[in-house]
Structure formats: structure tokens, C-alpha cells
Amino acid sequence: MYINSPDSLTFGKFIRIDGKTKKLKNFRNKLREQSYSFTSLVEKKHDKPSSLYLISGKDIDTFVDLMQKVPYFRELRTNIEKYMPKKPQILSLDKAKEKLAKGKFKL
């Protein structure tokens, strides 16, 4: 989990991007270069593609509250969609890269 320092006020977002682990990590690094304020988790399950979860704004507060309620962080980390009160916005890696390149990726 990584938390970047906020440069400006953001509203809550909960986004899931599916793809290959290495490509997801590279995309996350590009987001950091843009100095977005977010928390990220990369989840790899053996029978599914990897997922990058991006959490920002008010949803970070929700995530921190869940960390105190769920006894094991690994359980929360591997089943984040089960515990978050809202469903994530789902993007393909290609669509997320395209939005980032155009400057339209909003966290």
C-alpha cells in the first residue's frame, strides 16, 4: 500500500484497473509522477488477472476505518471489494493509459 501526499483537495474515488502485474505497477508509477494523491493496492489471484485498486479522497478515510475493523490486513487487502461500501469504477489498463496521456484521468 502506498499513500502519496495530497497536492490538492480530491473527492472520493475507488477504481479497479485489470491487467498484468508488471504493467499495472508501471502505470501506478506514471500516476505517481503526475503527483496524484491516492492509495494503491495490487492484487494478484492465481486464477484471475491482477487488479490495481486506486483509492483517493474520502474513500481513503473509509479504507483506514476498515483497517481498524477488519482483524487481518491481508484479508482486507485481498478482498477489498467485499469490505468497501461501494463498488469500484472498473477500467481497462489501455483505457486508463489513454485517459492519463490525454490528461483526463481523474482520481
Side-chain angles (χ1 to χ4, degrees):
M1 177 178 75
Y2 297 95
I3 300 176
N4 289 355
S5 61
D7 290 334
S8 62
L9 180 64
T10 59
F11 295 98
K13 288 275 186 164
F14 180 41
I15 301 172
R16 183 181 88 198
I17 303 171
D18 295 325
K20 294 185 178 183
T21 305
K22 186 173 181 178
K23 290 183 179 183
L24 291 173
K25 288 181 180 181
N26 289 337
F27 177 75
R28 178 176 62 188
N29 290 336
K30 287 180 184 177
L31 277 177
R32 286 191 191 131
E33 291 171 4
Q34 299 292 327
S35 62
Y36 286 105
S37 174
F38 64 92
T39 298
S40 64
L41 300 168
V42 176
E43 178 185 288
K44 172 65 180 145
K45 292 192 176 182
H46 67 282
D47 58 342
K48 295 180 182 179
S50 296
S51 297
L52 170 64
Y53 290 96
L54 302 173
I55 307 167
S56 69
K58 293 178 183 178
D59 287 330
I60 290 176
D61 296 335
T62 303
F63 181 72
V64 171
D65 290 341
L66 287 171
M67 286 174 35
Q68 295 171 0
K69 293 177 184 175
V70 178
Y72 299 106
F73 180 71
R74 183 173 183 194
E75 172 64 21
L76 175 61
R77 186 175 189 270
T78 57
N79 295 306
I80 186 74
E81 288 186 52
K82 175 181 171 182
Y83 292 102
M84 286 294 279
K86 67 180 188 180
K87 297 292 179 191
Q89 174 187 355
I90 300 172
L91 291 174
S92 69
L93 184 57
D94 292 334
K95 186 70 172 175
K97 284 181 180 179
E98 182 182 308
K99 284 184 169 196
L100 184 64
K102 291 180 180 180
K104 296 182 179 180
F105 194 87
K106 299 200 180 184
L107 264 173

